[in-house]
RNA sequence: GCCCGGAUGGUGGAAUGGUAGACACGCAGGACUUAAAAUCCUGUGGGCAGUAAUGCCUGUGCGGGUUCAAGUCCCGCUCCGGGUACCA
């Protein structure tokens, strides 16, 4: 009997669809729930990629396994369908993005269904559906109406925001301004990239390394536009502390921690000489104040005009101009020389009252700290580099902890930079009452910080790299903001019952005249008039693609609810997500943004958990073979041919090197899942993707490998579908042992997401069964059950052939019978000085002394004992024996 | 530069500090076949000796160390991958 996967897979896919086998019951009484989620895809025009089924198969196996374990499983799928490609296609062809999106979703849905993934399709969602984005807009309104109470570390409604008395006295306008300054969502000037030739605003990712636009090659510029921003840094501490309870890979937590970039230090005020102004800096090393020999402010610093003296005005102006033209990449390119100019002004170092020059340089960034630094060239590598270039004084104030005397001399002389620990020197001032000489770094930092606070010229301070999140895009194909800008400058948000604010139909999708979103073309839609005749204009920016994906896991809980974002009872039942699998490319942004929104919703009492994703796992990317020639140039895969294990260029005959690279159109090494399904079937594709290696590592696709798992499935079918191989009567001890070993291994491996070794365990059992020749029907049934999460089509077919009328999907998972796993004897490996020499079979119950006695008597041991004297005898029961022989 | 991973046969990979290379691909030999494909069986890290059974040596990127015992733990490197980048 042949393994006709085409027929089998079609039959069971139709069965599942017809019977709604995987519909999640709204039964909230089962205390065992399991929410298994994939990162939902952006449905691109290219269709599914072999990378998609990797994560989807993993979650599918887990979901199917949990159902068999009696869990109520929520396993949904949807589409993150807003995004640029559909909009660009619309600009080129006039096809509305919703049409393109629908087609792409249809393709993805068909492809996913052909893989036999057990999604509850009744819960399908689409971020571009007004019934969905209505609630995205609803959350935005919540963010706008929330402030962060730093004392309680908690978001609260703005209606509860205490207004300071002096603000109250200044009138309504000031009160409004004050409230706006506290909202989690606010509207303000922000820099964006602008391509003057395309007249379009670009995302960071669209700007190439040389500062040109990837679409047209022209240089992009920075432009200030009014933008919506979200104050995510207020949640930095919560986002950091939330990790404690989460089962996430340490690496991902670490990446997010780095992104948040918490650093502790102090803010210090420097009086500016000759002005009634002070310059505040942030430093992580207040202990090095005595070594601060100059200051640097960023070219965008607010006080720059005031600080710059007449004499230096021209050079400073020129420098600022030059800096503004540089792209971020130019400014942060590591190889670049440091640049800067003197402002002509001095500041007073508060510890020793020395006058130190204030410079402007673009190595100081506006967005971090206060945009100004105190420079300590002797103990900071960047300051050192700058000071050397511009001949600024370098004063060593720390005797370094080094043994190398020549290095120490250099450091003390200010010829080399020292950033590690040491004992302070030159660090006391009688008149200012501060002395840290002789202390180490830790003690120095705390002593100086205390002194600064006492003197009221500084304070301990925590800083974060994490910036406010630029939350608007100048695009058509995104969620419209529920916002109106009135003629008198007031900004109001729509009322919740006015949602959704739908995207208007447009004739053309080109951006507006002044860098505005395409929505500025929607004239009728734009204009609004209120009851008193005041006119206003709708917000023309749209939300970024992150918006829809920030909260989609919540909508899956109650996707069709039209009166609420979701039913709180259902939310309480299903949350948090128990297992979340997706690519590591979302390790930082999506997951951080999503956690931020979730925490706000939690603070407002809308969701019941503080964190959305309890257990996270990142699948490794699937790469493919590619070829390169002697010179290292990449050669398209279709030009390579294999002969005797070597690779040659079909056209030139030159030998090629096989390498592993990302799949790409230009390398012609993209593997299409449809082709694999056609040749080997969905079960083979699923199994191969899981068998390739551990789920979390990067691994290359190898067509030959698919054959291995296909062979396994075909042999499984041929063996178990053949009634001649099925016997009545009691099962053999060997089979029972092998079967129980397989159950145990597969179960443990699924829990730990180690599918490759689970599959290997099933292969071992099949090899055993084949060798034995016959097994009982119960054995077939049990094996079919453990196979079913991995190869569900084949399993349903075999299950049905055993006379079962119902799906195997809800059959209870087999229990391991430890009785069958018990062994009477153990084959001891006996090693001499750590090297295996021979094996001997002994009863498992035998004690150490007896084992030692028997082994020492063995002639094979005697042979080695003759070479020296026995120094030690290690016996680890049921593990190993080691003879230590010295000569 | 900094942070985080990784390196095991021809290939993908397996191995609670305790028999390195499970399982699979590939390859070689054999069976079936007129033949091929498919399928089945056997072998397969490298080396040396032996007709053989077998025995010995060697082997998890490199150099040290801890241990009765190290792919696994510690120290110092090399190379590869990912993240991040003048963050004061």
């Amino acid at each position: 009997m042949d393994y006709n996967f085409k027929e089998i897979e079609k039959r069971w896919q139709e069965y599942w669809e017809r019977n709604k086998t995987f519909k999640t019951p709204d039964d909230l009484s089962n205390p065992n729930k399991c929410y298994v989620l994939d990162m939902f895809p952006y449905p691109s025009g290219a269709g599914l990629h072999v990378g998609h089924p990797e994560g989807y198969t993993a979650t599918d196996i887990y979901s199917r396994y949990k159902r068999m374990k009696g869990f109520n499983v929520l396993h949904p799928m949807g589409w993150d369908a807003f995004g640029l490609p559909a909009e660009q296609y619309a600009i080129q062809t006039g096809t509305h993005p919703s049409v393109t999106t629908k087609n792409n979703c249809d393709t993805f849905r068909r492809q996913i269904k052909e893989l036999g993934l057990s999604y509850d399709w009744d819960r399908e969602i689409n971020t571009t559906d007004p019934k969905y984005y209505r609630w995205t807009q609803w959350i935005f309104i919540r963010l706008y109406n929330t402030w962060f109470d730093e004392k309680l570390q908690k978001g609260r409604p703005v209606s509860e925001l205490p207004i300071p008395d002096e603000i109250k006295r200044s009138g309504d306008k000031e009160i409004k301004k004050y409230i706006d300054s506290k909202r989690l969502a606010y509207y303000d000037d922000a820099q964006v990239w602008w391509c003057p030739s395309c007249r379009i605003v670009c995302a960071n990712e669209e700007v190439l390394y040389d500062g040109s636009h990837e679409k047209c090659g022209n240089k992009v510029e920075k432009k200030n536009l009014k933008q919506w921003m979200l104050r995510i840094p207020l949640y930095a501490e919560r986002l950091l502390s939330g990790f404690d309870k989460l089962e996430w890979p340490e690496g991902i937590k670490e990446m997010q921690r780095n992104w948040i970039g918490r650093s502790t230090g102090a803010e210090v005020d420097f009086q500016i000489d000759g002005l009634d102004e002070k310059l505040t800096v942030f430093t992580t090393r207040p202990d090095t104040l005595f070594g601060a020999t100059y200051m640097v402010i960023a070219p965008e610093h607010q006080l720059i005009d005031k600080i710059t003296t007449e004499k230096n005005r021209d050079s400073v102006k020129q420098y600022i101009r030059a800096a503004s033209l540089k792209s971020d990449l130019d400014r942060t390119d590591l190889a670049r020389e440091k640049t800067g100019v003197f402002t002509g002004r001095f500041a007073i170092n508060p510890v020793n009252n020395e006058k130190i020059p204030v410079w402007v340089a673009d190595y100081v960034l506006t967005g971090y700290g206060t945009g100004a630094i105190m420079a300590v060239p002797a103990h900071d590598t960047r300051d050192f580099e700058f000071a050397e270039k511009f001949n600024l004084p370098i004063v060593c104030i720390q005797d370094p902890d080094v043994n190398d005397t020549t290095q120490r001399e250099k450091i003390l002389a200010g010829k080399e930079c020292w950033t590690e620990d040491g004992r302070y020197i030159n660090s006391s001032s009688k008149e200012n009452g501060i002395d840290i000489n002789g202390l180490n770094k830790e003690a120095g930092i705390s002593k100086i910080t205390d002194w600064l606070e006492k003197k009221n010229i500084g304070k301990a301070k925590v800083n974060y790299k994490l910036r406010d999140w630029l939350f608007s895009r100048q695009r058509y194909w995104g969620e419209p903001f529920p916002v109106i800008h009135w003629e008198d400058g007031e900004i109001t948000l729509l009322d919740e019952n006015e949602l959704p604010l739908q995207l208007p139909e447009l004739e053309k999708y080109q951006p507006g005249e002044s860098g505005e979103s395409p929505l500025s073309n929607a004239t009728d839609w734009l204009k609004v008039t209120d009851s008193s005749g005041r006119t206003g204009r709708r917000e023309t920016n749209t939300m970024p693609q992150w918006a829809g994906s920030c909260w989609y896991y919540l909508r899956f809980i109650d996707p069709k609810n039209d009166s609420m974002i979701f039913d709180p009872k259902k939310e309480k039942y299903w949350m948090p997500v128990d297992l979340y699998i997706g690519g590591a490319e979302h390790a930082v942004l999506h997951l951080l943004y999503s956690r931020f929104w979730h925490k706000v919703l939690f603070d407002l009492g809308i969701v019941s958990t503080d964190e959305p994703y309890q257990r996270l796992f990142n699948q490794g990317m699937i790469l493919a073979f590619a070829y390169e020639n002697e010179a290292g140039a990449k050669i398209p895969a279709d030009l390579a041919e294999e002969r005797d294990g070597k690779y040659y260029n079909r056209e030139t005959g030159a030998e090629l090197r096989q390498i592993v690279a990302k799949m790409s159109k230009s390398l012609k090494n993209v593997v299409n899942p449809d082709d694999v399904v056609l040749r080997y079937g969905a079960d083979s594709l699923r199994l191969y993707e899981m068998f390739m290696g551990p789920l979390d590592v990067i691994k290359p696709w190898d067509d030959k490998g698919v054959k291995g798992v296909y062979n396994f499935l075909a042999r499984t079918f041929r063996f178990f579908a053949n009634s001649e191989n099925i016997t009545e009567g009691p099962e053999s001890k060997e089979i029972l042992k092998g079967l129980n070993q397989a159950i145990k291994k597969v179960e443990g491996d699924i829990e730990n997401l180690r599918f490759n070794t689970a599959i290997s365990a099933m292969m071992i059992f099949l090899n055993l069964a084949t060798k034995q020749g016959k097994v009982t029907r119960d054995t077939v049934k049990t094996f079919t059950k453990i196979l079913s999460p991995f190869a569900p089509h084949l399993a349903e077919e075999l299950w049905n052939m055993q006379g079962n009328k119902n799906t195997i999907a809800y059959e209870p998972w087999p229990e391991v019978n430890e009785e069958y796993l018990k062994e009477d004897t153990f084959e001891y490996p006996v090693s001499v000085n750590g090297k295996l020499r021979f094996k001997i079979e002994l009863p498992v119950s035998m004690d150490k002394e007896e084992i030692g006695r028997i082994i020492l008597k063995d002639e094979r041991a005697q042979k080695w004992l003759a070479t020296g004297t026995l120094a030690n005898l290690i016996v680890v029961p049921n593990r190993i024996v080691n003879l230590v022989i010295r000569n």
Side-chain angles (χ1 to χ4, degrees):
Chain A
M1 214 190 307
D2 273 346
Y3 171 44
N4 188 342
F5 59 82
K6 271 184 198 152
E7 194 188 302
I8 293 172
E9 292 180 356
K10 186 163 176 269
R11 173 159 52 247
W12 292 102
Q13 281 167 17
E14 282 169 7
Y15 174 94
W16 296 328
E17 178 115 27
R18 198 169 53 242
N19 292 286
K20 289 200 189 263
T21 304
F22 303 109
K23 185 173 169 59
T24 311
D26 266 325
D27 164 25
L28 309 185
S29 64
N30 183 346
N32 293 322
K33 69 91 186 176
C34 194
Y35 187 174
V36 184
L37 184 67
D38 291 288
M39 288 184 186
F40 68 160
Y42 170 73
S44 77
L48 221 57
H49 179 274
V50 287
H52 290 114
E54 191 189 11
Y56 301 165
T57 304
T59 53
D60 191 60
I61 292 169
Y62 195 78
S63 300
R64 287 175 181 270
Y65 164 77
K66 283 287 177 182
R67 284 189 201 105
M68 294 173 84
K69 278 279 189 182
F71 281 75
N72 193 11
V73 172
L74 177 57
H75 187 44
M77 180 47 79
W79 319 110
D80 188 15
F82 275 128
L84 209 47
E87 179 163 337
Q88 236 126 38
Y89 189 70
I91 292 173
Q92 284 160 24
T93 66
T95 313
H96 194 274
S98 66
V99 176
T100 316
T101 300
K102 187 184 172 299
N103 289 340
N104 292 351
C105 290
D106 289 346
T107 305
F108 265 65
R109 191 184 308 102
R110 173 189 63 77
Q111 288 184 303
I112 289 176
K113 284 189 176 179
E114 282 172 8
L115 297 176
L117 300 167
S118 63
Y119 294 116
D120 175 359
W121 287 104
D122 287 353
R123 290 177 187 255
E124 178 180 344
I125 59 175
N126 186 324
T127 55
T128 66
D129 183 346
K131 286 183 177 158
Y132 178 88
Y133 69 65
R134 163 185 185 177
W135 300 106
T136 312
Q137 293 169 330
W138 183 88
I139 294 173
F140 176 77
I141 296 174
R142 294 294 158 134
L143 291 166
Y144 182 77
N145 287 323
T146 302
W147 66 290
F148 189 75
D149 185 332
E150 301 207 36
K151 262 202 201 93
L152 300 177
Q153 278 289 303
K154 186 175 186 287
R156 297 171 61 188
V158 284
S159 56
E160 294 173 10
L161 175 66
I163 312 287
D165 287 342
E166 67 267 27
I167 304 277
K168 269 188 197 153
R169 282 193 294 273
S170 316
D172 284 354
K173 215 172 155 191
E174 286 304 308
I175 293 174
K176 236 176 147 321
K177 228 166 111 184
Y178 180 77
I179 295 173
D180 285 347
S181 75
K182 296 287 177 186
R183 296 179 187 277
L184 291 183
Y186 67 101
Y187 190 64
D188 204 357
D189 274 326
Q191 277 193 344
V192 291
W193 290 113
W194 167 254
C195 175
S197 119
C198 303
R199 268 187 19 208
I200 196 166
V201 172
C202 318
N204 279 332
E205 305 82 59
E206 294 173 282
V207 180
L208 300 178
Y209 279 97
D210 61 355
S212 67
H213 185 201
E214 73 169 355
K215 294 273 157 5
C216 69
N218 290 294
K219 293 276 175 203
V220 296
E221 296 171 356
K222 280 179 198 153
K223 201 176 172 105
N224 273 314
L225 287 176
K226 286 277 189 188
Q227 299 288 309
W228 281 98
M229 314 278 282
L230 301 184
R231 295 186 216 271
I232 182 171
L234 293 171
Y235 273 80
E237 286 302 321
R238 291 268 302 279
L239 289 167
L240 286 170
S241 62
F243 287 136
D244 298 348
K245 301 160 286 187
L246 300 182
E247 299 159 67
W248 284 27
E250 261 323 301
I252 302 297
K253 288 188 187 175
E254 202 50 39
M255 276 166 72
Q256 291 207 2
R257 282 190 198 108
N258 290 341
W259 191 264
I260 293 167
R262 183 182 202 271
S263 68
T264 55
E267 274 189 356
V268 186
D269 297 335
F270 285 68
Q271 193 59 47
I272 298 170
D273 190 38
L275 284 181
D276 189 20
E277 290 284 354
K278 56 190 185 181
L279 206 47
T280 305
V281 302
F282 172 72
T283 175
T284 54
R285 296 291 305 274
D287 55 315
T288 60
L289 258 167
F290 282 96
T293 53
Y294 65 100
M295 299 185 80
V296 185
I297 58 176
E300 297 86 358
H301 197 277
Q302 310 95 308
L303 290 177
I304 197 157
D305 282 337
K306 268 193 180 165
I307 289 174
T308 306
T309 58
E310 266 329 299
K311 206 177 126 217
N312 298 63
R313 194 160 299 277
D314 284 348
S315 57
V316 170
K317 268 212 165 124
Q318 210 177 351
Y319 186 79
I320 295 171
R321 220 182 101 74
S324 75
L325 290 175
K326 278 193 205 174
S327 72
D328 268 5
L329 287 153
D330 287 338
R331 269 178 79 162
T332 57
D333 182 5
L334 196 70
R336 84 249 154 273
E337 279 265 308
K338 283 199 169 41
T339 59
V341 290
F342 181 41
T343 60
R345 186 75 64 179
F346 291 82
I348 313 290
N349 187 336
V351 287
N352 54 18
N353 306 338
E354 273 177 28
K355 279 210 224 172
I356 56 175
V358 179
W359 284 61
V360 192
D362 64 7
Y363 83 89
V364 172
L365 308 174
T366 329
Y368 185 77
T370 61
I373 62 156
M374 64 179 214
V376 185
H379 306 290
D380 181 285
T381 50
R382 296 152 304 179
D383 298 343
F384 183 81
E385 210 182 295
F386 191 81
E388 288 233 298
K389 180 162 176 191
F390 294 103
N391 280 316
L392 291 158
I394 299 169
V395 178
C396 179
I397 52 125
Q398 210 179 18
D399 190 349
D401 287 347
V402 274
N403 294 326
D404 186 337
T405 45
T406 49
Q407 192 192 2
R408 177 166 171 258
E409 292 303 323
K410 276 180 89 175
I411 292 165
L412 290 172
K415 304 274 188 238
E416 190 180 319
C417 184
W418 178 254
T419 57
E420 305 295 307
D421 209 348
R423 304 276 153 185
Y424 296 102
I425 51 175
N426 308 324
S427 294
S428 79
S429 161
K430 257 211 178 104
E431 63 170 313
N432 291 321
I434 177 73
D435 178 5
I436 59 165
N437 279 340
L439 299 181
N440 67 2
K441 191 161 146 184
E442 195 190 340
I445 289 174
S446 85
K447 190 164 181 186
I448 288 251
T449 309
D450 288 347
W451 178 82
L452 289 167
E453 288 186 351
K454 218 172 285 157
K455 285 262 184 175
N456 208 22
I457 48 171
K459 57 174 190 287
K461 167 95 182 168
V462 178
N463 236 312
Y464 304 93
K465 278 199 273 188
L466 187 63
R467 315 281 169 83
D468 283 353
W469 172 14
L470 195 148
F471 191 67
S472 40
R473 299 290 183 273
Q474 295 65 45
R475 302 286 178 206
Y476 171 74
W477 197 227
E479 297 88 348
F481 282 89
V483 170
I484 300 168
H485 301 275
W486 297 100
E487 56 183 333
D488 56 11
E490 197 192 7
I491 293 175
T492 61
L493 267 60
L494 299 190
D495 201 76
E496 277 171 25
N497 57 34
E498 296 175 87
L499 301 180
L501 172 63
Q502 296 212 31
L503 271 172
E505 297 284 328
L506 287 188
E507 290 292 314
K508 56 183 192 121
Y509 302 92
Q510 296 285 353
E513 292 298 319
S514 52
E516 275 186 309
S517 146
L519 283 179
S520 57
N521 297 323
T523 41
D524 291 346
W525 179 84
L526 275 186
K527 279 185 216 147
V528 272
T529 310
D530 69 6
S531 51
S532 54
R534 180 173 67 155
T535 61
R537 195 167 182 273
R538 293 195 194 276
E539 172 70 55
T540 56
N541 286 315
T542 53
M543 297 185 200
Q545 205 181 349
W546 307 112
S549 60
C550 260
W551 72 281
Y552 72 110
Y553 57 93
L554 291 169
R555 189 62 179 171
F556 278 135
I557 286 168
D558 197 4
K560 297 199 173 130
N561 197 326
D562 281 332
S563 57
M564 280 188 274
I565 184 167
F566 46 73
D567 179 340
K569 282 200 294 291
K570 294 181 184 173
E571 186 277 334
K572 214 171 158 134
Y573 177 77
W574 285 113
M575 283 303 287
V577 173
D578 295 280
L579 177 65
Y580 191 28
I581 295 186
E585 66 273 21
H586 295 118
V588 178
L589 297 181
H590 159 64
L591 286 168
L592 198 65
Y593 292 156
S594 189
R595 292 178 63 218
F596 164 52
W597 279 32
H598 193 87
K599 284 178 185 296
V600 176
L601 296 177
F602 175 67
D603 289 349
L604 298 177
I606 296 164
V607 296
S608 59
T609 64
D610 180 42
E611 287 281 345
Y613 313 114
Q614 181 56 34
R615 184 179 180 197
L616 173 78
F617 204 86
N618 292 110
Q619 84 246 23
M621 210 189 320
I622 296 183
L623 306 178
F625 292 123
Y627 302 87
E628 61 182 26
N629 62 18
E630 277 292 293
K634 306 280 190 292
I635 307 294
D638 57 349
L639 282 182
E641 76 182 327
E642 190 190 346
R643 283 200 306 270
D644 311 322
K646 288 185 174 177
Y647 300 90
Y648 300 90
N649 187 320
R650 215 181 280 279
E651 285 173 356
T652 65
E655 189 172 342
L656 300 175
R657 221 188 349 257
Q658 189 182 55
I659 56 162
V660 169
K662 279 186 196 174
M663 291 187 191
S664 72
K665 275 186 200 154
S666 61
L667 288 174
K668 298 224 167 110
N669 63 350
V670 177
V671 180
N672 182 344
D674 281 350
D675 296 343
V676 183
V677 169
L678 207 62
R679 281 183 66 193
Y680 297 103
D683 281 340
S684 289
L685 173 66
R686 294 167 57 107
L687 217 60
Y688 176 60
E689 296 222 4
M690 295 299 99
F691 188 61
M692 287 168 85
L695 188 60
D696 56 343
V697 308
I698 296 180
K699 44 212 171 254
W701 182 275
D702 184 0
D703 276 322
K704 289 181 196 144
V706 188
K707 227 185 97 183
V709 293
Y710 171 81
N711 284 345
F712 165 66
L713 293 177
R715 286 173 57 214
T716 301
F717 183 78
R718 281 200 301 271
F719 185 79
F720 293 110
N722 185 348
S723 55
E724 286 175 23
N725 294 331
I726 295 169
T727 74
E728 301 305 320
E731 188 56 277
S732 73
K733 270 188 100 169
E734 288 79 10
I735 290 285
L736 284 173
K737 184 176 152 193
L739 185 63
N740 279 276
Q741 279 172 337
I743 299 169
K744 194 172 177 174
K745 179 77 178 147
V746 170
E747 173 162 351
D749 282 349
I750 293 177
E751 295 279 1
N752 293 308
L753 309 177
R754 298 197 319 204
F755 305 114
N756 54 330
T757 47
I759 292 166
S760 148
M762 291 187 285
M763 288 173 167
I764 291 170
F765 177 75
L766 178 70
N767 291 344
L768 175 74
T770 315
K771 204 160 263 178
Q772 291 274 321
K774 286 190 192 304
V775 295
T776 64
R777 194 168 295 281
D778 279 347
T779 297
V780 179
K781 286 186 183 172
T782 305
F783 181 72
T784 304
K785 284 186 192 174
I786 63 171
L787 177 68
S788 69
F790 297 82
H793 307 89
L794 173 59
E796 290 278 19
E797 185 74 10
L798 288 173
W799 186 245
N800 185 262
M801 290 173 90
Q802 304 313 312
N804 297 294
K805 291 281 164 279
N806 289 325
T807 173
I808 196 170
Y810 295 93
E811 287 299 317
W813 184 260
E815 290 211 22
V816 179
N817 189 337
E818 296 283 345
E819 275 306 305
Y820 297 123
L821 298 177
K822 280 193 183 144
E823 305 268 1
D824 297 332
T825 60
F826 177 76
E827 191 178 43
Y828 279 90
V830 181
S831 46
V832 175
N833 295 333
K835 270 183 204 157
L836 176 71
R837 292 303 172 184
F838 63 94
K839 293 176 187 174
I840 183 167
E841 190 158 325
L842 297 169
V844 291
S845 55
M846 188 177 276
D847 64 48
K848 278 169 93 163
E849 287 68 28
E850 177 95 34
I851 292 167
R853 253 196 311 278
I854 290 177
I855 283 169
L856 289 179
K857 266 193 288 183
D858 192 285
E859 61 177 73
R860 293 166 296 185
Q862 288 290 329
K863 189 178 109 188
W864 289 98
L865 286 165
T867 65
T869 54
L870 184 70
N872 200 356
L873 175 64
I874 311 280
V875 179
V876 185
N878 297 314
R879 187 131 301 221
I880 201 167
V881 174
N882 191 15
L883 311 182
V884 185
I885 296 175
R886 302 250 163 75
N887 36 11

